[in-house]
Amino acid sequence: MTTPVALLTAIGALVVGAVAGYLVARRRARREAARPAGPTVAELLMRLIRSSNNGVVVLNRFGDLVLHNPRAFELGLVRVSQADPRARKAAEQVVETDEPMEVDLSPLESRGRRQPEAVLGEVRPLGDGFTVVEAVDHSEAIRLEAVRRDFVANVSHELKTPVGAIALLTEAVLDAAEDVTEVRRFGGKILRESTRLGQLVTELIALSRLQGAERLPDLNVVEVDAVVREALGRTTLSAESAEITITTDAASGLLVEGDRTLLVTALSNLLENAVAYSQPGSPVSISRRLGDGMVEIAVTDRGIGIAEDEQQRVFERFYRADKARSRATGGTGLGLAIVKHVAANHGGSVGLWSRSGTGSTFTLRIPAHVRPEPAESGRGVKQPATAKQPDKTPERTTRLVATGQEISGPDRGGNL
C-alpha cells in the first residue's frame, strides 16, 4: 500500500519534470525567435533572376520596366531605365495574342560584321498584362560555328590539291606505261604527293588531339637537351638537302614538365619551318636558357623573315606567309598552329621576332620543373631544377640571335 510520503514524492517529481520541460521548450522557442528568418520564396526568385546568365526583363501592360537583372544591361536589353524598343513592341503583341514569340535583340551596330553579336529573345506572357523577356547571347556559338565551317572548308581545299594531283599523275603513268623513264618520273611525283597527303592527315589528327578531342598524356619530367637532340635528328635530312647547318649552344641540363613526344614535335616544326624559309647555305641555330621560371628554347634563322602585318596571323591554321614557297616545300600550313597548341597545353607560350629580309626567331617557353631544395633550416625551397650539371664538353656553340624586340602573342601560322 502506497504511503502518503511516496505519493507526495511522485507528485513532486511529475511537477518538477513538467516545469523543466516547459522551461526547456520556452528557451528553445526564444532561440528560434532570435534566429534570423530565412529568405522568402520571393527573395529566392529574385536571387535566381539576378544570377541568371540570360538577360531577364519584366514589363507591365504599358511596356514600362518592372524589374531586370544585371545581365540585361550587359546584353543591351535595358537602356537608360527603359527596355529595348524591339522588346517593348514584341511585348505588346504578346499581351494581345497571349502567345509567346521570339525577337532578334542583336546590337544594331554589329550587323554587317563578319562575326556579328547574336542576341535572341523570347517574350512570354505572365498574365494580368505582364510579360517577361528572356535574352540569350548566341555570339560564341555562332563564332565557333564559323570557325568550324572555315576549318572544314580549308581542310577540304588542302586535301583536294594532293588528291587531284595523284589522280592526274596516275593517269599519266597509265598513258606512259611502256616508257620506263616517264613512269619513274611520274611515280616520284606520286610518291611526293602521297607523302604530303599523309603528312597533312597526321597533322590534322595531332591538332585535333591538342584542341581537346582526346585527353592529353600525363606530364612527366623531360630533359630539354634530349628534346633538342631528338628534334635535330628529325630535321637532319631536310637541313642537309637544303645545305643548311643547324648549330646549338651548350647542353643546359634544364628540365620541364611535359610530354616529350609533343615537345619534340613542336621543336621539330620550328626547325623544319626555319629550314624551309631559309636560303641554301644560311645558318639556323638553337639556344636554351632559363628565365623567370620558364625554359626558353629559341630557333633563329637568317631567312626571308615575316612582314609585320602578318606576324599576328602566322600561327593560324593553314595560314602561309609565303604561299608559293610553302607549296614548293610541301608545307601543310599546320606546323606552327601545332606549336602554339603544344605550348598552351603545357602552360607556356610561343614568341616571335621577325624582320623581312633579316630572319626570324621563334621562342618556345615552357614552365621549368621545380623541386624542393634542402635548406639548413630544414624547410624546402622550390627552385628550378636541373637533371644534371651541363656537360663539360659542349656541343657546337654557334648561336645566332636576331636583334630587335621580341613579340609574343598569337603567332606564324603553320608554314611547314
Side-chain angles (χ1 to χ4, degrees):
M1 184 175 182
T2 304
T3 63
V5 175
L7 182 60
L8 290 174
T9 302
I11 293 173
L14 290 174
V15 171
V16 171
V19 171
Y22 169 76
L23 292 175
V24 170
R26 186 177 178 183
R27 185 181 301 172
R28 186 178 299 168
R30 287 179 177 176
R31 284 201 303 266
E32 293 292 337
R35 184 179 301 170
T40 64
V41 174
E43 290 173 339
L44 289 175
L45 288 175
M46 285 301 299
R47 292 180 186 178
L48 176 63
I49 292 174
R50 292 193 188 99
S51 64
S52 175
N53 193 45
N54 298 336
V56 179
V57 167
V58 176
L59 305 175
N60 61 17
R61 65 173 64 252
F62 305 106
D64 298 327
L65 201 61
V66 177
L67 64 86
H68 62 275
N69 65 351
R71 183 62 171 160
F73 264 117
E74 296 174 7
L75 297 179
L77 190 55
V78 176
R79 300 178 182 178
V80 195
S81 301
Q82 289 187 346
D84 187 292
R86 293 168 293 179
R88 296 176 63 183
K89 185 175 180 180
E92 292 176 2
Q93 297 181 24
V94 168
V95 170
E96 293 177 0
T97 62
D98 201 34
E99 293 290 337
M101 66 176 295
E102 293 184 351
V103 58
D104 184 2
L105 300 173
S106 303
L108 298 176
E109 58 271 16
S110 73
R111 296 185 178 181
R113 295 181 184 173
R114 187 170 181 270
Q115 294 182 1
E117 298 178 37
V119 180
L120 300 180
E122 183 181 11
V123 187
R124 299 187 299 272
L126 295 179
D128 297 327
F130 289 90
T131 54
V132 60
V133 184
E134 185 173 8
V136 182
D137 186 5
H138 294 280
S139 302
E140 184 66 15
I142 290 178
R143 187 190 68 80
L144 291 175
E145 178 61 21
V147 171
R148 186 194 66 80
R149 285 197 305 268
D150 289 345
F151 182 71
V152 171
N154 287 330
V155 169
S156 302
H157 175 75
E158 295 295 331
L159 290 175
K160 182 180 178 181
T161 302
V163 169
I166 290 173
L168 291 174
L169 291 169
T170 303
E171 291 180 4
V173 169
L174 293 176
D175 292 340
E178 297 179 359
D179 189 336
V180 177
T181 302
E182 288 297 302
V183 168
R184 288 179 177 175
R185 184 168 70 89
F186 290 129
K189 292 183 177 180
I190 291 174
L191 179 60
R192 285 194 295 273
E193 292 296 333
S194 60
T195 301
R196 178 185 174 190
L197 181 61
Q199 182 183 2
L200 177 59
V201 172
T202 300
E203 292 189 348
L204 283 172
I205 293 172
L207 189 59
S208 175
R209 290 174 177 170
L210 289 169
Q211 290 180 312
E214 292 186 11
R215 181 179 178 273
L216 290 177
D218 294 332
L219 301 184
N220 301 306
V221 178
V222 179
E223 294 184 18
V224 172
D225 299 333
V227 172
V228 171
R229 285 195 300 269
E230 188 171 344
L232 280 171
R234 290 189 184 184
T235 320
T236 299
L237 183 60
S238 59
E240 291 178 351
S241 300
E243 300 178 358
I244 290 176
T245 300
I246 303 176
T247 59
T248 69
D249 59 357
S252 63
L254 294 170
L255 300 177
V256 296
E257 288 188 9
D259 179 81
R260 174 168 171 164
T261 301
L262 292 178
L263 293 174
V264 171
T265 298
L267 185 56
S268 299
N269 286 352
L270 291 179
L271 289 172
E272 292 284 359
N273 202 67
V275 169
Y277 286 86
S278 296
Q279 299 297 331
S282 62
V284 172
S285 65
I286 305 174
S287 61
R288 293 152 280 191
R289 77 182 188 93
L290 178 66
D292 297 328
M294 304 289 285
V295 172
E296 299 183 355
I297 309 174
V299 176
T300 301
D301 65 67
R302 294 291 185 180
I304 61 175
I306 306 169
E308 185 176 354
D309 58 345
E310 293 185 316
Q311 291 181 11
Q312 296 301 317
R313 297 195 59 194
V314 290
F315 280 88
E316 296 176 8
R317 295 168 298 190
F318 299 111
Y319 185 82
R320 296 177 174 91
D322 187 337
K323 297 179 176 59
R325 190 180 185 92
S326 183
R327 292 192 189 97
T329 58
T332 64
L334 293 174
L336 292 174
I338 290 175
V339 173
K340 181 180 73 172
H341 286 288
V342 169
N345 287 330
H346 282 76
S349 62
V350 60
L352 165 64
W353 177 93
S354 185
R355 183 179 297 167
S356 294
T358 300
S360 305
T361 297
F362 288 87
T363 304
L364 182 65
R365 299 185 184 87
I366 303 296
H369 172 65
V370 295
R371 64 187 178 193
E373 294 288 347
E376 293 182 0
S377 60
R379 292 180 297 177
V381 180
K382 286 189 175 182
Q383 297 290 343
T386 57
K388 55 186 177 181
Q389 294 297 323
D391 194 342
K392 293 183 180 180
T393 304
E395 302 176 53
R396 292 174 291 179
T397 57
T398 306
R399 181 183 179 187
L400 302 175
V401 179
T403 59
Q405 182 178 3
E406 187 178 80
I407 303 172
S408 62
D411 323 80
R412 193 177 188 186
N415 294 324
L416 274 180

